[in-house]
Amino acid sequence: MEAAWRSPLRWRMPRPDLSNAGLWAIATGHALNHGISAAFTLLLPFLAKDLGLSFAQVGLLVSVRQFMSMAVNLPAGLLVDAVGHRERLMTASLAATILPYGLVLVYPNFSVLLACQALVGVGMFLWHPAAITSLSARYPDRRGYGLALHELGANLGDTLAPLAAGLLLTLLSWTGVLGVHVAASAALALVLLAVLRSSTGLRTDPAPAAPGSARGSLRGIGATLRNPGLLVLALVSGIRSLTQNGLSTFLPLYLVYVLRLPAPLLGLYMTLVQASGLVATPLAGSLSDRIGPKRVATVGMTTTSLAVVAAVLLGATPVFVLVLAVLGFFLYSMRPALFRWAIGVVPREHEGTTVGLLFTVQSLFSSLTPVAGGALADRFGLPVVFYVIAGSVLVGNLLLRLVPDLRPAPYGVRLGSAHGR
């Protein structure tokens, strides 16, 4: 399960086998966690037309999901630091992420959609503190790389699910497409949970530093809140999440309502954004370890802001496709860099709390973006939303200058060693 690093740009993916089945199960779970909601987001324009929803109501659906996730992130992080329960949290997360969409198939109305998104919000973000702290323990010297593997799973789900949804829409209604995704996700989740239970890898992770200690959890919160660099990184991570969630919500609406693209082309364009992120994520993770996460995050935020503006100005031109690819590449390159940066400035026993804090701030920003963006779109038009997103990314880029970079890892260190941060 080790991989030699010979240069900043050369790395080898650890091959899946029985000894590291838990790692690949975590990445696959992250793919399921993201995939079904990514498919639902692509279905939103067709769902909105069918049910007669306004842009503000569509934004509220996404905001509710993010708001509920905000409520569980920090408690989940504290639970991981204090008592563990990583496998149980990941199991509960998959159930809560997939099953509520089944209710929408039975009762397709706005009230049920709101309840569904609330439950999914809880489920989606129960996943991260348990999964990320487990990966951090496995990749102590290459955390950026380990987080990139985890993010690779999410990007794969975000890439394949919208593509499948767009193609299926040529044959089925939006309810039929959602039903296919629910059934497939539930079946894959059962297989995954069997792997998680049989994997020895998850159960050999180091135990929490102070099991059952409420005092230790409170110290973790205090140490986190006293770390100014971490607070800045949490704020910037929130801006990055604002950007991603804003684009995933309003880009499909822009492509359908403004550019009037057909469903298959819509799925292809959204897949292009995700596929570019699929390429960028492991590269960004490895570069974060080699040259430091600050440079990776700074370049990512600058280019993302420019690409968002270019996408609106260019419209349905041949260059538009290239801009979407660039946008996806640099948008998704930021996340492993920011998380590698954040967990590198705190003690290991507070990593779960740190992850919970970052996702809490991300959820706060993400919950405000769709409903505020929907109101802006109803009043001023969809393009205004993208200009606001681009400006927010520039502000985040300026904030990054306040935090010193981490010391890059030496080239000769191998993955999986037990020393170093």
Side-chain angles (χ1 to χ4, degrees), residues 365-381:
F365 279 68
S366 295
S367 65
L368 297 176
T369 304
V371 67
L376 281 174
D378 283 332
R379 185 175 180 86
F380 302 107

Side-chain angles (χ1 to χ4, degrees), residues 4 13 51 71 88 90 149 161 180 190 197 209 225 241 270 291 306 311 346 396 403:
M13 186 82 72
L51 300 183
R88 294 180 187 178
M90 287 187 274
L149 290 182
V180 170
L190 291 176
R197 292 192 182 98
L225 295 179
S241 186
M270 294 304 296
I291 66 175
L306 296 174
V346 298
V403 186

Side-chain angles (χ1 to χ4, degrees), residues 2 32 41 44 67 98 121 174 239 248 311 316 330 334 393:
E2 296 181 347
L32 292 180
T41 300
L44 278 176
F67 179 81
I98 297 169
W174 68 265
I239 293 173
S248 67
F330 287 98
M334 291 186 283
V393 178

Side-chain angles (χ1 to χ4, degrees), residues 117-208:
Q117 292 301 280
L119 291 172
V120 169
V122 173
M124 284 187 71
F125 290 90
L126 278 175
W127 179 269
H128 299 99
I132 289 176
T133 54
S134 181
L135 288 170
S136 177
R138 295 173 180 277
Y139 291 91
D141 293 308
R142 287 292 180 264
R143 290 173 178 173
Y145 183 88
L147 291 172
L149 290 182
H150 184 245
E151 190 67 11
L152 198 63
N155 287 348
L156 190 61
D158 287 336
T159 300
L160 297 180
L163 178 61
L167 294 175
L168 287 172
L169 278 170
T170 62
L171 303 173
L172 304 170
S173 67
W174 68 265
T175 53
V177 175
L178 185 60
V180 170
H181 278 78
V182 169
S185 298
L188 287 172
L190 291 176
V191 175
L192 171 63
L193 293 177
V195 174
L196 288 175
R197 292 192 182 98
S198 62
S199 168
T200 58
L202 286 176
R203 292 172 186 164
T204 57
D205 285 342

